[in-house]
Amino acid sequence: NMKINLIDKNIEKNNTEIEIIFVKDIGNSEHKELLETLEFKAKDESCVLLAESKKIYVGYEEENYDSIAIASATAIKKLQTTKFANARIELNEVLENNFKALIEGAILGEYKFVNYKSEKDKKKIELQILVPNNNEKFEKILNESIIISKAVNKTRNMVNTPPADFYPEVMAKTAKKLARSADIEVKIEGEKYLKENGMNAMLSVGRASVHESQLIHLTYKPKNVQAKIVLVGKGLTYDSGGLSLKPADFMVTMKSDKSGGCAVMSTLWAIAKLELPFEVHGIVGAVENMIGGNAYKPDDVLKAKNGKTIEIRNTDAEGRLVLADCLCYAQDEIKDIDYIFDYATLTGACVVGVGEYTTGVMGNNEILKRNAVLSALKSGEYATTLDFNRFLKKSIKSEIADICNIANTRYGGAITAGMFLDNFISDENKEKWIHFDIAGPAFVEKPWGYNPHGASGAGVRMTIKFLQDLVDNN
């Protein structure tokens, strides 16, 4: 809800209440002495408000996306603590070169999840940005970054919503609403469809919930299609762990187990709004994993849509079962796929391995994986590859079924989960598939950079950047 206006630098028009100044070095700033007295250092996340002079000084260390976006968010957060509602920023060379970061940092930094607060902060912030007169370039970046940031914030809102108010049917309704607000078709299937189409893995996970599981299929088809892309998301609206019940502490935050599915839905919305030249399908398995007399059990053997049998040894390794059927569905329904990406808060092991800010990128195609990591880093997200190997593959063998849903080793859990999914990728798509484990960055219980406490909207920016890079390279 922030308003951002671009104003020609040369037109003297100053009706703003306060100015935001980005500094890498306070050496030549007009309030140098005062800043030194306040021990202000031009470092990332450092910020000072000079209320009398009506200035906010914010530091940055490097001339890159991360530093500028964090500075931008830090300044907006400082502004939120005051009565000032409109601010101006005059672009310098550094800000011109990092204009995307400036805009996205501001909008992502302003975000607060207050839907459940009885007293809401109603202040609307207005930002006036003074640009050189050829502002078409900035206009284009501004419009694009607003769409991207909105998509991230839509994801955050969905993920942050408690499970009593966001269950599979609500997720399906939300998908319909997103589709209506953009040029997207939507198809929703329920449990009858899952049963009739042999999607028993996904069906079993949601069996004990009072909420019916939903298969959501969004489609965006523009006129001149350059490639066909499928995005698959894990939509566990709540994960109690099933009969392999999670300890109480680990159950808190499990509303975030739908992060992959929410990211897919918002990303499709953004792709349609940006009118990217791709046919894109978004497929989400919306399911709640609960306990009850009819819950699926450790020792069960489930048959997935592609006929593979899965021995269940832990009902808390459920996301991979939902994804297995959704991946099969995607490949059966959609022919001649160019890329198939899946997004899931899949494993705690990934968070242990690479920390809570980084996405683990897996698959069979080395070049594709590296390109995905590159796009992620350029978009402002952290990502790294985790490599499959033959020795870990042996650890998900089952004595009684084709495959086991957990490994027989506690090591390499993110990779063994990725290799489990590989069993549901057909040979013709092996090189086109990437698995993104977003378990870390999707939901963190403290603010970081321009991300708030809770959901961050992981996956959205890196996917859009990947597609934009495809356009540029064609």
Side-chain angles (χ1 to χ4, degrees):
N1 56 353
M2 179 191 288
K3 269 189 74 171
I4 302 178
N5 299 315
L6 300 185
I7 290 171
D8 190 334
K9 241 184 216 191
N10 308 317
I11 300 169
E12 272 306 309
K13 179 187 161 202
N14 180 18
N15 54 359
T16 50
E17 299 168 343
I18 191 162
E19 183 178 9
I20 297 172
I21 300 167
F22 289 69
V23 286
K24 193 178 180 184
D25 172 19
I26 60 170
N28 53 6
S29 62
E30 71 175 288
H31 296 96
K32 183 178 180 219
E33 277 177 41
L34 190 48
L35 292 173
E36 280 174 350
T37 309
L38 293 169
E39 294 221 323
F40 171 79
K41 303 265 190 298
K43 293 263 184 272
D44 287 346
E45 300 192 44
S46 63
C47 189
V48 71
L49 164 71
L50 305 181
E52 292 214 339
S53 321
K54 300 194 172 166
K55 308 270 190 226
I56 289 175
Y57 279 92
V58 64
Y60 67 92
E61 289 168 41
E62 293 169 60
E63 297 175 13
N64 61 18
Y65 182 98
D66 236 17
S67 253
I68 298 299
I70 288 170
S72 188
T74 305
I76 296 299
K77 285 193 189 113
K78 180 64 89 181
L79 191 61
Q80 282 174 325
T81 66
T82 71
K83 281 268 194 282
F84 298 120
N86 56 22
R88 75 180 179 281
I89 297 172
E90 186 166 345
L91 293 191
N92 56 19
E93 199 185 337
V94 174
L95 296 181
E96 281 180 29
N97 294 337
N98 292 280
F99 189 65
K100 179 182 166 71
L102 177 72
I103 301 301
E104 291 176 10
I107 300 173
L108 297 178
E110 184 208 23
Y111 174 89
K112 281 182 179 155
F113 185 68
V114 293
N115 298 10
Y116 291 83
K117 296 274 192 192
S118 45
E119 286 183 19
K120 295 180 177 38
D121 177 14
K122 296 218 166 43
K123 184 170 78 173
K124 265 191 95 138
I125 287 177
E126 208 173 305
L127 213 47
Q128 304 210 350
I129 301 181
L130 309 187
V131 296
N133 52 18
N134 62 337
N135 66 8
E136 272 167 38
K137 178 181 91 174
F138 297 110
E139 200 72 60
K140 183 177 178 290
I141 297 172
L142 174 67
N143 294 334
E144 206 172 81
S145 289
I146 286 173
I147 292 169
I148 293 168
S149 307
K150 270 190 182 166
V152 173
N153 285 340
K154 280 177 191 294
T155 308
R156 289 169 168 183
N157 277 339
M158 286 187 251
V159 174
N160 283 327
T161 302
D165 296 333
F166 204 100
Y167 41 90
E169 295 94 332
V170 177
M171 199 163 189
K173 267 195 194 119
T174 309
K176 285 179 183 163
K177 210 166 117 186
L178 282 173
R180 273 200 304 274
S181 71
D183 189 15
I184 297 172
E185 292 164 42
V186 65
K187 189 171 90 172
I188 311 283
E189 303 288 0
E191 289 180 355
K192 182 168 174 272
Y193 179 93
L194 299 180
K195 194 175 261 148
E196 286 169 1
N197 289 273
M199 296 175 72
N200 298 305
M202 176 170 162
L203 185 63
S204 300
V205 175
R207 215 163 61 194
S209 170
V210 296
H211 299 295
E212 186 182 348
S213 299
Q214 306 281 304
L215 178 65
I216 300 164
H217 184 165
L218 297 163
T219 310
Y220 170 65
K221 275 187 192 167
K223 292 214 166 33
N224 328 328
V225 171
Q226 284 185 17
K228 199 183 285 187
I229 289 130
V230 181
L231 311 177
V232 178
K234 169 183 171 183
L236 260 292
T237 59
Y238 197 70
D239 180 18
S240 66
L243 291 180
S244 311
L245 197 65
K246 290 178 186 286
D249 312 357
F250 284 81
M251 231 183 278
V252 181
T253 74
M254 276 303 117
K255 64 179 182 181
S256 71
D257 217 17
K258 58 185 180 286
S259 298
C262 297
V264 165
M265 282 161 46
S266 303
T267 302
L268 243 99
W269 176 86
I271 289 166
K273 289 287 184 194
L274 293 167
E275 296 180 357
L276 295 179
F278 303 105
E279 178 180 322
V280 189
H281 295 262
I283 288 147
V284 178
V287 180
E288 189 180 57
N289 186 21
M290 296 297 282
I291 57 174
N294 62 338
Y296 81 118
K297 308 168 190 68
D299 278 351
D300 277 348
V301 173
L302 311 178
K303 193 181 205 174
K305 192 178 194 298
N306 66 350
K308 288 214 171 163
T309 56
I310 306 162
E311 178 191 355
I312 304 301
R313 294 186 78 95
N314 187 328
T315 62
D316 194 18
E318 86 302 328
R320 63 198 70 179
L321 303 174
V322 173
L323 282 173
D325 272 342
C326 287
L327 287 165
C328 292
Y329 167 88
Q331 295 166 97
D332 290 347
E333 293 293 309
I334 304 150
K335 293 292 161 247
D336 306 317
I337 296 170
D338 289 295
Y339 297 101
I340 179 162
F341 295 165
D342 78 69
Y343 304 80
T345 44
L346 209 58
T347 64
C350 197
V351 193
V352 172
V354 300
E356 51 191 341
Y357 309 109
T358 302
T359 293
V361 179
M362 285 159 262
N364 302 300
N365 182 334
E366 293 303 324
I367 292 167
L368 185 56
K369 284 191 297 188
R370 305 219 184 271
N371 286 344
V373 168
L374 202 61
S375 294
L377 298 174
K378 282 195 285 191
S379 77
E381 295 198 45
Y382 293 96
T384 186
T385 56
L386 296 172
D387 293 338
F388 291 168
N389 71 68
R390 64 174 69 221
F391 302 104
L392 278 173
K393 192 176 181 180
K394 294 174 183 166
S395 71
I396 49 174
K397 267 200 158 119
S398 162
E399 292 298 322
I400 61 159
D402 297 333
I403 183 177
C404 189
N405 82 324
I406 53 163
N408 60 16
T409 166
R410 48 186 291 214
Y411 302 115
I415 298 169
T416 50
M419 294 177 91
F420 174 92
L421 295 177
D422 187 44
N423 284 273
F424 303 91
I425 302 292
S426 67
D427 289 344
E428 78 216 55
N429 292 322
K430 289 279 190 218
E431 295 287 311
K432 302 170 180 176
W433 164 68
I434 297 186
H435 160 56
F436 295 95
D437 192 332
I438 58 171
F443 196 93
V444 181
E445 283 201 285
K446 54 180 177 284
W448 50 291
Y450 40 78
N451 292 294
H453 172 286
S456 73
V460 175
R461 286 177 302 153
M462 66 176 162
T463 309
I464 293 166
K465 187 70 186 130
F466 183 88
L467 297 189
Q468 286 173 330
D469 286 346
L470 277 186
V471 180
D472 297 342
N473 296 336
N474 272 359

